[in-house]
């Protein structure tokens, strides 16, 4: 009996350690953009772990306010000369198959910014296909304050690509303002439908029993 109890205690301890270890895994790297790609150049405009594209989407070390730390990603909308979008993404290899995740990032919209929108997307591993996409129109934003943008989706396979896309104003004679991005995160979430308790057939029989 003592051996069985000791074995059970050992199993529960290992289970708890495993759960803590899994909980401690940071899925998204360099979420506050503090680390530059060039470790010898603090003002490097490319953040480590992230890939960017387009014009004027830069890591900034002097823009204020930040949401956290000293750095952020700045979309210099006021400097654009065309209508091509710009953005950045990260591949998360530790994302698990059939697990639901929420990708979030904080955004600050300048008071006079007249860009079109910001879009968040979750793709399958290495950008194979779009799992889910959500558009945030700048016309609906609160200005000059941090607001959190979020999107939720399930991974069909191991690995995800997380994308942030900024779309400039179409046909804008004078692009204005900037958009700041800071504190990106990826968290496991629970599917609310899957979390609902299943009907108890025993209880149902007791309710519907005949006299």
């Amino acid at each position: 009996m003592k051996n069985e109890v000791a074995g059970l205690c050992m199993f529960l301890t290992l289970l708890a350690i495993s759960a803590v270890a899994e909980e401690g895994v940071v899925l998204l790297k360099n979420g506050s953009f503090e680390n530059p790609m060039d470790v010898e150049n603090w003002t490097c405009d490319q953040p480590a772990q992230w890939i960017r594209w387009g014009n004027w989407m830069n890591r900034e070390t002097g823009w204020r306010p930040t949401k956290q730390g000293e750095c952020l990603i700045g979309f210099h909308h006021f400097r654009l000369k065309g209508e091509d979008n710009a953005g950045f993404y990260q591949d998360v290899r530790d994302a698990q198959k059939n697990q639901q995740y929420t990708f979030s990032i904080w955004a600050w919209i300048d008071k006079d910014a007249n860009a079109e929108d910001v879009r968040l997307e979750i793709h399958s591993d290495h950008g194979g296909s779009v799992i889910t996409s959500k558009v945030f129109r700048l016309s609906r934003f609160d200005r000059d304050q941090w607001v959190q943008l979020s999107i939720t989706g399930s991974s069909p396979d191991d690995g995800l690509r997380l994308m942030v896309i900024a779309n400039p104003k179409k046909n804008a004679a004078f692009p204005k303002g900037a958009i700041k991005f800071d504190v990106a995160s990826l968290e496991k979430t629970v599917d609310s439908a899957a979390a609902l308790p299943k009907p108890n057939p025993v209880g149902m029989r007791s309710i519907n029993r005949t006299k």
Side-chain angles (χ1 to χ4, degrees):
M1 182 66 178
K2 289 183 179 180
N3 290 337
E4 293 179 357
V5 172
L8 179 60
C9 290
M10 174 98 41
F11 171 76
L12 293 175
T13 300
L14 292 174
L15 191 63
I17 292 173
S18 175
V20 170
E22 182 179 354
E23 195 68 26
V25 173
V26 179
L27 295 170
L28 195 89
K29 312 299 183 184
N30 197 24
S32 191
F33 313 106
E34 298 297 303
N35 301 324
M37 178 170 286
D38 183 354
V39 296
E40 297 182 355
N41 178 14
W42 169 246
T43 60
C44 173
D45 62 13
Q46 170 70 45
Q49 308 293 338
W50 295 89
I51 303 297
R52 64 176 181 181
W53 77 90
N55 296 319
W56 293 107
M57 183 69 77
N58 299 336
R59 173 180 176 269
E60 300 292 343
T61 57
W63 283 22
R64 297 293 182 268
T66 63
K67 179 63 178 175
Q68 177 180 299
E70 298 295 323
C71 305
L72 50 74
I73 293 288
F75 178 49
H76 304 231
H77 184 253
F78 63 95
R79 290 183 177 273
L80 291 183
K81 298 185 181 298
E83 298 183 355
D84 293 334
N85 65 25
F88 50 98
Y89 68 86
Q90 184 174 143
D91 289 324
V92 181
R93 296 180 180 179
D94 292 330
Q96 299 172 350
K97 181 178 180 179
N98 297 326
Q99 170 66 49
Q100 183 169 275
Y101 292 96
T102 295
F103 171 45
S104 301
I105 193 167
W106 290 82
W108 176 291
I109 314 301
D110 284 355
K111 185 176 181 179
D112 62 341
N114 62 348
E116 192 70 33
D117 57 54
V118 173
R119 188 165 76 249
L120 299 187
E121 292 187 353
I122 298 179
H123 292 224
S124 59
D125 191 31
H126 291 91
S129 60
V130 179
I131 296 172
T132 185
S133 177
K134 189 173 183 180
V135 175
F136 300 85
R137 303 286 182 191
L138 259 65
S139 59
R140 301 178 181 178
F141 270 91
D142 293 325
R143 302 301 179 102
D144 285 343
Q145 61 181 285
W146 287 106
V147 293
Q148 191 176 37
L149 315 180
S150 298
I151 187 172
T152 299
S154 297
S155 174
D157 297 294
D158 291 337
L160 289 174
R161 173 169 290 182
L162 309 174
M163 301 188 72
V164 179
I165 304 164
N167 290 301
K169 185 72 173 179
K170 301 297 183 183
N171 302 315
F174 300 101
K176 299 178 182 179
I179 306 174
K180 304 178 182 75
F181 298 99
D182 204 357
V183 191
S185 63
L186 182 67
E187 302 289 342
K188 286 185 177 181
T189 52
V190 178
D191 188 334
S192 57
L196 292 174
K198 295 181 180 179
N200 185 344
V202 176
M204 292 178 67
R205 283 200 300 269
S206 63
I207 293 173
N208 297 323
R209 67 182 183 273
T210 56
K211 296 182 180 179

